[in-house]
């Protein structure tokens, strides 16, 4: 951090510049350089955690023994670190945090940090780990981005207004603001919300239907799972919900998280518009998958007794042409 310097300032008073002002507190909050420096420091911390995990000094969280390991999650300036609750890993994590402070010059606020243990962790172990890390124990993560991070048993208390009721309330506020002619009068709604939310090319105002927008964002998450199957998001959901199948065939079931339920709702949008493009044809099912360039259903319906299960059975692999005896 010694190679980083800041600028000097001049204040114009009565049309004349004063002497140079040299800031002595370093980079302040809001400085354009601050986010990049913070990312460099966080990358260093992430690298140290990964190195110790590869060495076997730390154990990340896994949904099952053969699944991927999650050792840490970083979002903005918030961090969640997973490890085994014992003395050895607690001391290892403490050394990592101390070295990160020395290298970056950023001190960790342990007063705002907390420990969360599993239900089967013994009270003696919890106390020992807390004393080593010098972090207080809490029952949950508290509130994050306005929501309770630890949902508990009753998720209705957290999501009782999300997303449908909240979307409706926001839309009502938009309508009130748009048609309000005077601060003491509500105003007349000359056109319904359906017309206002249409695109401008369709003679609407282009206001977003927030419920549709929410579903579109959930569908985008589903599409990202399909496009990037090796990403942390995809591997985590695969280890949890569809270890023996794929994303488009995964189900819900009992105990499904609210996040996964939302993604399954967005998947319905993908199912309407997605279809296979024939490549090696080893995964495409002949009658069940959408692969025919037809705007009606994108599927074929046949009662042929010898129709193959996969599309590869419809192709003559010697001539690389369709098997006309099965198709016609």
């Amino acid at each position: 951090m010694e190679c980083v310097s800041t600028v000097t300032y001049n204040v114009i008073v009565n049309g004349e510049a004063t002497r140079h002002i040299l800031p002595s507190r370093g980079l302040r909050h809001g400085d354009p350089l601050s986010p990049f420096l913070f990312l460099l420091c966080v990358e260093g911390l992430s690298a140290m955690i990964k190195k110790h995990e590869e060495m076997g000094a730390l154990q990340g969280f896994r949904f099952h023994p053969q699944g991927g390991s999650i050792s840490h999650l970083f979002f903005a300036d918030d961090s969640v670190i997973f490890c085994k609750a014992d003395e050895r890993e607690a001391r290892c994590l403490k050394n990592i945090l101390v070295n990160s402070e020395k290298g970056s010059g950023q001190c960790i606020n342990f007063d705002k940090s907390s420990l969360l243990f599993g239900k089967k962790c013994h009270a003696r172990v919890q106390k020992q780990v807390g004393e080593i890390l010098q972090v207080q124990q809490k029952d949950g993560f508290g509130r994050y981005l306005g929501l309770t991070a630890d949902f508990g048993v009753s998720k209705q208390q957290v999501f009782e207004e999300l997303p449908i009721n909240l979307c409706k309330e926001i839309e009502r506020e938009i309508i009130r603001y748009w048609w309000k002619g005077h601060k003491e009068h509500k105003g007349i709604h000359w056109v319904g919300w359906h017309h206002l939310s249409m695109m401008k090319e369709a003679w609407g105002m282009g206001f977003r239907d927030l419920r549709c927008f929410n579903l579109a964002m959930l569908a985008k998450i589903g599409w990202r799972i399909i496009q990037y199957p090796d990403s942390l998001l995809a591997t985590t959901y695969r280890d949890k919900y569809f270890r023996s199948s794929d994303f488009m065939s995964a189900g819900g079931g009992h105990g499904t998280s609210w996040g996964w339920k939302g993604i399954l709702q967005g998947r319905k949008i993908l199912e309407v518009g997605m279809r296979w493009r024939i490549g090696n044809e080893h995964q495409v099912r002949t009658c069940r998958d959408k692969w025919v360039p037809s705007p009606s259903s994108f599927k074929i319906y046949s009662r042929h007794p010898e129709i193959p299960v996969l599309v590869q059975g419809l192709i003559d692999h010697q001539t690389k042409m369709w098997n006309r005896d099965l198709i016609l």
Side-chain angles (χ1 to χ4, degrees):
M1 299 300 291
E2 295 180 357
C3 62
V4 178
S5 60
T6 185
V7 298
T8 59
Y9 300 93
N10 292 94
V11 180
I12 298 178
V13 180
N14 296 328
E16 297 182 358
T18 61
R19 61 184 180 86
H20 291 285
I21 300 175
L22 180 63
S24 60
R25 298 295 297 275
L27 295 175
R28 306 297 297 168
H29 180 73
D31 192 295
L33 194 58
S34 296
F36 299 98
L37 295 177
F38 178 77
L39 289 177
L40 291 176
C41 297
V42 171
E43 283 295 326
L45 176 60
S46 176
M48 286 191 291
I49 295 176
K50 290 181 179 178
K51 180 180 178 180
H52 284 79
E53 185 182 13
E54 293 174 355
M55 296 168 53
L58 289 177
Q59 296 183 25
F61 174 79
R62 299 175 186 268
F63 285 104
H64 62 92
Q66 289 75 33
S69 175
I70 303 176
S71 59
H72 57 285
L73 297 172
F74 293 158
F75 181 75
D77 57 348
D78 295 309
S79 307
V80 180
I81 302 177
F82 301 92
C83 69
K84 187 178 180 181
D86 59 21
E87 180 181 358
R88 182 179 65 88
E89 294 204 12
R91 295 191 182 280
C92 178
L93 179 58
K94 181 68 175 180
N95 292 332
I96 292 175
L97 298 178
V98 172
N99 292 331
S100 177
E101 289 181 345
K102 292 180 180 179
S104 64
Q106 294 182 326
C107 296
I108 299 174
N109 191 341
F110 290 99
D111 294 334
K112 292 184 178 180
S113 304
S114 62
L115 290 173
L116 182 63
F117 295 94
K119 296 181 180 180
K120 297 182 180 180
C121 185
H122 197 275
R124 178 183 58 81
V125 178
Q126 296 182 17
K127 182 180 179 181
Q128 184 182 35
V129 173
E131 292 175 351
I132 295 174
L133 296 176
Q134 298 179 355
V135 177
Q136 59 182 343
Q137 179 183 350
K138 293 184 179 180
D139 296 332
F141 289 107
R143 298 183 68 84
Y144 185 71
L145 297 178
L147 294 175
T148 303
D150 186 15
F151 299 151
V153 179
S154 178
K155 301 177 181 63
Q156 184 177 0
Q157 297 178 359
V158 181
F159 292 98
E160 59 184 357
E161 294 184 355
L162 290 175
I164 298 178
N165 291 340
L166 179 59
C167 291
K168 290 181 179 179
E169 182 61 29
I170 295 176
E171 289 174 357
R172 283 195 292 265
E173 291 299 325
I174 294 175
I175 293 173
R176 293 193 190 102
Y177 176 81
W178 181 255
W179 294 115
K180 193 173 184 179
H182 191 272
K183 62 180 180 179
E184 297 181 357
H185 302 284
K186 294 183 178 180
I188 301 175
H189 297 189
W190 296 102
V191 180
W193 173 254
H194 172 72
H195 297 282
L196 292 177
S197 59
M198 295 176 64
M199 295 186 297
K200 294 182 179 180
E201 292 80 1
W203 302 100
M205 293 303 301
F207 294 151
R208 285 177 175 173
D209 188 315
L210 298 182
R211 284 168 288 180
C212 295
F213 181 76
N214 183 46
L215 285 174
M217 293 297 101
L218 293 171
K220 188 175 181 179
I221 296 176
W223 181 249
R224 184 174 180 83
I225 293 175
I226 298 174
Q227 291 292 99
Y228 304 98
D230 296 328
S231 64
L232 177 61
L233 175 69
T235 54
T236 301
Y237 277 122
R238 182 172 62 246
D239 292 342
K240 179 67 174 176
Y241 296 111
F242 53 97
R243 280 180 286 173
S244 58
S245 61
D246 56 16
F247 170 70
M248 298 304 295
S249 303
H254 180 71
T256 303
S257 68
W258 282 74
W260 179 246
K261 289 179 180 178
I263 294 175
L264 292 182
Q265 292 295 322
R267 189 182 65 179
K268 296 179 180 179
I269 300 177
L270 297 177
E271 291 174 347
V272 175
M274 286 180 57
R275 69 176 184 267
W276 284 90
R277 178 179 294 176
I278 302 301
N280 57 21
E281 76 272 346
H282 292 299
Q283 298 179 348
V284 186
R285 295 168 294 186
T286 305
C287 296
R288 297 184 59 182
D289 291 333
K290 299 178 179 180
W291 62 276
V292 180
S294 173
S296 57
S297 62
F298 304 109
K299 293 183 179 181
I300 64 172
Y301 299 94
S302 175
R303 296 181 179 180
H304 195 289
E306 298 180 1
I307 189 169
V309 178
L310 299 178
V311 176
Q312 64 176 346
L314 298 175
I315 299 177
D316 189 333
H317 294 282
Q318 293 182 353
T319 62
K320 302 298 181 181
M321 302 290 290
W322 294 104
N323 190 334
R324 299 176 64 87
D325 296 334
L326 291 176
I327 295 176
L328 299 179

